[in-house]
Amino acid sequence: MTQYTDPDGMEFTANTQESADTFSTLIDAYMGFRPETGEILKALLKSDPEMPMALCAKGYFAKLIGSASHSQRAVGISEELANHIDVVDANPRERLHAQALSQWCQGQLDTATDIWEQILLSWPMDGMAVRLSHFTHFYSGDGRRTRDSIARVLPQWPTDHRNYGFLLGMYGFGLEEAGEYVQAEHYARMAVDRNQKDSWSIHAAAHVMEMTGRHAEGIRWIAELQPHWSTVNNFRFHLYWHQCLFHIERGEFDAVLSIYDEQIVSDIESEFYLDICNASSLLWRLEMCGIDIGDRWRKLACVSNGHVNDTELVFVSLHYLMALVSGGHEEGTQRMMKTLRQWSTADSTQGKIIAQVGLNIAEGLLHFRRKEYVQAMDKIQAVRYSMDSIGGSKAQRDVFQMIMLDAAQSSGDVMKARALFTDRVSHKDTSSWSWQGYSQALLSLGQEALANEAARKAGIIRGVGKVGISNA
Ligand SMILES: [Fe+2]
């Protein structure tokens, strides 16, 4: 095989120049979450089955699906690649990618991330390394890592590069997760101005609106751009999820249930991990708002039962568990708990997180559904300040904080409930659910005037959708 250079100056070991160019097209599609990404890779592997980066991408994409079966497939691909790399005399960047895939397959997500960062030192325009490290930094739960990883490479990309906008949006998202909302929105909007189909960047701005309580604006933002982002892969359902969060805060529960049925679960049988996360999180939130969700958990539990052996991401497995335990799937719940306990003994990046944080949350969920609210509250409260490490976004992880608060409220420990809701509204003062819960806690202690004031604030958020309660 020979070295060919793509339009960005990346060298590829391949059989033809066309293969290198096609790989570049693959990265464009991957960055844009375009549904044809898989087809582009399939065609590339057909025309150039020995191309190391094509094989590596196949392994990466299998890992990104996040299920045990795909993960097993990735192990086989990684082994094939390791055997193949000397035979075809792969270049140093490709060898690093092969190592990263191997580490990822062995559960060493931190090491894989370090390798992608190492690649970016010498090849800052390696789109695959940029996007994958963004993904794994995100699942480290540390917004600063997500932010800084993109900050390091952004100046190395020509501003007129066709994918430069995607980087702007990734940077925006990292800034948002690091709590720098003004800058985050600035970058996200710049990205969307360049490309209205850039769903990750639309999403980054939606996160800012969520964190700053701009619920009505968030609904408009997502709805107005919907004709553009609705053509992307299943990530589009996550944008619908964000739209639902805004509706929940406004008390528009019928809208949430419609979006849930028509969109969120419309492809729930897919193997894509995020679909169940969106659905589980929404159903639990709706129930915490007192909404009758019918038998919707049952279907989710059934799908989740196919993932009880997955050991990819703690964040994701907890969402499968939410569905299993809520849907009354006792056998699946027990098998999942067994998996989580075994996983917590593994010497892997996520295994350590299950041991440190994940098991507590999992046991808290079980206690909650058994109506053992004191135990549920205690289990989750013990890890509430270290919960970030399970990854996902701040908005996504918030459901576990909410469950802790709901458990406190239901436990009858009114002093604890008041204390927890008091700290909640002090840092999440744009949430009607939080003010409503605070109001209830105050009322149980006979603090009627304060309870009425808290209820009034909840009403303002629901009715007007714009806050002005404090400086958030
Ligand atoms: Fe999100």
Side-chain angles (χ1 to χ4, degrees):
M1 297 183 97
T2 312
Q3 296 296 309
Y4 292 97
T5 306
D6 81 352
D8 298 326
M10 293 292 121
E11 285 199 331
F12 289 89
T13 309
N15 280 317
T16 64
Q17 177 63 46
E18 196 188 347
S19 297
D21 294 341
T22 305
F23 197 88
S24 182
T25 309
L26 176 72
I27 296 297
D28 300 348
Y30 171 44
M31 282 195 164
F33 294 166
R34 288 184 358 227
E36 68 270 28
T37 309
E39 291 304 316
I40 296 172
L41 179 58
K42 213 180 276 181
L44 176 57
L45 279 162
K46 198 171 176 191
S47 66
D48 201 341
E50 295 188 328
M51 182 183 183
M53 277 314 294
L55 267 175
C56 195
K58 189 179 173 189
Y60 282 155
F61 290 171
K63 287 296 287 180
L64 282 169
I65 297 285
S67 71
S69 58
H70 283 85
S71 210
Q72 201 48 46
R73 208 169 298 164
V75 171
I77 296 163
S78 176
E79 287 168 357
E80 183 188 344
L81 184 61
N83 293 330
H84 180 66
I85 211 136
D86 283 328
V87 179
V88 297
D89 197 18
N91 66 41
R93 186 176 57 89
E94 293 164 337
R95 286 171 189 269
L96 285 168
H97 270 294
Q99 281 174 28
L101 175 60
S102 170
Q103 290 296 323
W104 193 358
C105 286
Q106 293 169 55
Q108 305 305 328
L109 212 47
D110 283 347
T111 312
T113 308
D114 288 345
I115 296 170
W116 291 318
E117 288 292 351
Q118 191 186 336
I119 290 171
L120 292 172
L121 295 177
S122 303
W123 298 279
M125 291 194 64
D126 184 317
M128 187 65 96
V130 169
R131 198 67 192 75
L132 287 171
S133 57
H134 189 63
F135 173 81
T136 52
H137 284 309
F138 171 53
Y139 276 103
S140 79
D142 188 338
R144 294 164 305 173
R145 290 174 195 268
T146 317
R147 174 195 64 192
D148 295 346
S149 173
I150 301 297
R152 286 190 287 271
V153 296
L154 192 58
Q156 300 296 322
W157 284 61
T159 55
D160 59 354
H161 189 280
R162 65 194 180 285
N163 291 334
Y164 185 75
F166 293 131
L167 266 83
L168 292 174
M170 283 188 251
Y171 189 43
F173 182 73
L175 286 161
E176 183 278 325
E177 286 298 301
E180 297 173 46
Y181 300 129
V182 174
Q183 280 292 85
E185 186 166 353
H186 171 71
Y187 279 94
R189 283 185 182 272
M190 267 205 292
V192 178
D193 284 345
R194 280 176 173 246
N195 175 10
Q196 295 194 314
K197 288 183 194 276
D198 181 354
S199 55
W200 186 251
S201 302
I202 295 168
H203 163 258
H207 265 273
V208 174
M209 293 169 195
E210 169 65 26
M211 300 312 291
T212 53
R214 289 148 58 194
H215 308 130
E217 189 184 349
I219 292 168
R220 275 199 307 278
W221 170 253
I222 289 176
E224 283 171 8
L225 289 163
Q226 197 259 3
H228 305 285
W229 57 257
S230 60
T231 56
V232 303
N233 64 20
N234 280 27
F235 182 73
R236 68 187 184 277
F237 299 124
H238 185 63
L239 274 165
Y240 282 114
W241 179 81
H242 275 278
Q243 187 178 345
C244 287
L245 291 198
F246 294 129
H247 282 305
I248 286 175
E249 283 297 349
R250 290 173 56 80
E252 295 162 352
F253 301 115
D254 286 345
V256 178
L257 287 170
S258 297
I259 294 169
Y260 180 91
D261 291 334
E262 289 162 24
Q263 299 295 342
I264 302 279
V265 291
S266 61
D267 191 25
I268 201 69
E269 307 278 1
S270 82
E271 289 280 296
F272 187 45
Y273 67 92
L274 190 55
D275 292 341
I276 290 272
C277 294
N278 295 329
S280 283
S281 175
L282 269 188
L283 289 189
W284 203 304
R285 284 167 193 254
L286 283 168
E287 285 189 319
M288 284 192 281
C289 292
I291 304 304
D292 179 1
I293 54 148
D295 70 346
R296 288 179 176 85
W297 277 122
R298 200 165 44 81
K299 172 84 176 167
L300 283 195
C302 188
V303 177
S304 296
N305 190 43
H307 294 277
V308 291
N309 296 320
D310 288 12
T311 51
E312 288 298 311
L313 294 167
V314 174
F315 174 85
V316 175
S317 287
L318 288 173
H319 282 80
Y320 291 135
L321 182 65
M322 286 163 80
L324 287 165
V325 70
S326 304
H329 202 307
E330 188 57 32
E331 190 208 335
T333 300
Q334 292 312 320
R335 285 170 59 214
M336 175 62 96
M337 288 306 293
K338 192 176 168 199
T339 298
L340 297 183
R341 290 192 180 105
Q342 279 173 352
W343 192 6
S344 74
T345 64
D347 182 20
S348 66
T349 303
Q350 293 285 302
K352 287 173 194 154
I353 293 165
I354 270 282
Q356 290 157 2
V357 181
L359 271 183
N360 261 65
I361 300 174
E363 286 164 3
L365 297 174
L366 262 59
H367 282 302
F368 190 98
R369 286 304 182 199
R370 289 185 202 132
K371 302 190 190 308
E372 297 161 354
Y373 297 117
V374 173
Q375 293 96 319
M377 173 183 67
D378 288 347
K379 282 283 177 190
I380 303 178
Q381 197 182 0
V383 295
R384 69 175 290 207
Y385 292 114
S386 44
M387 203 184 279
D388 286 3
S389 63
I390 66 170
S393 67
K394 288 190 288 193
Q396 286 174 307
R397 281 193 302 274
D398 194 39
V399 73
F400 300 116
Q401 303 282 351
M402 293 168 75
I403 292 169
M404 175 192 72
L405 286 153
D406 201 22
Q409 193 88 282
S410 306
S411 72
D413 187 342
V414 285
M415 302 298 278
K416 184 64 86 64
R418 182 183 62 176
L420 291 175
F421 271 103
T422 307
D423 82 52
R424 168 81 175 183
V425 294
S426 71
H427 66 263
K428 187 82 181 168
D429 64 352
T430 57
S431 160
S432 61
W433 180 85
S434 306
W435 282 108
Q436 195 59 48
Y438 183 43
S439 174
Q440 280 169 25
L442 290 164
L443 208 53
S444 1
L445 282 162
Q447 294 183 284
E448 218 165 288
L450 282 173
N452 287 341
E453 178 58 14
R456 189 184 70 80
K457 286 175 176 172
I460 290 172
I461 297 168
R462 273 200 302 271
V464 182
K466 190 168 171 67
V467 184
I469 286 169
S470 82
N471 58 354

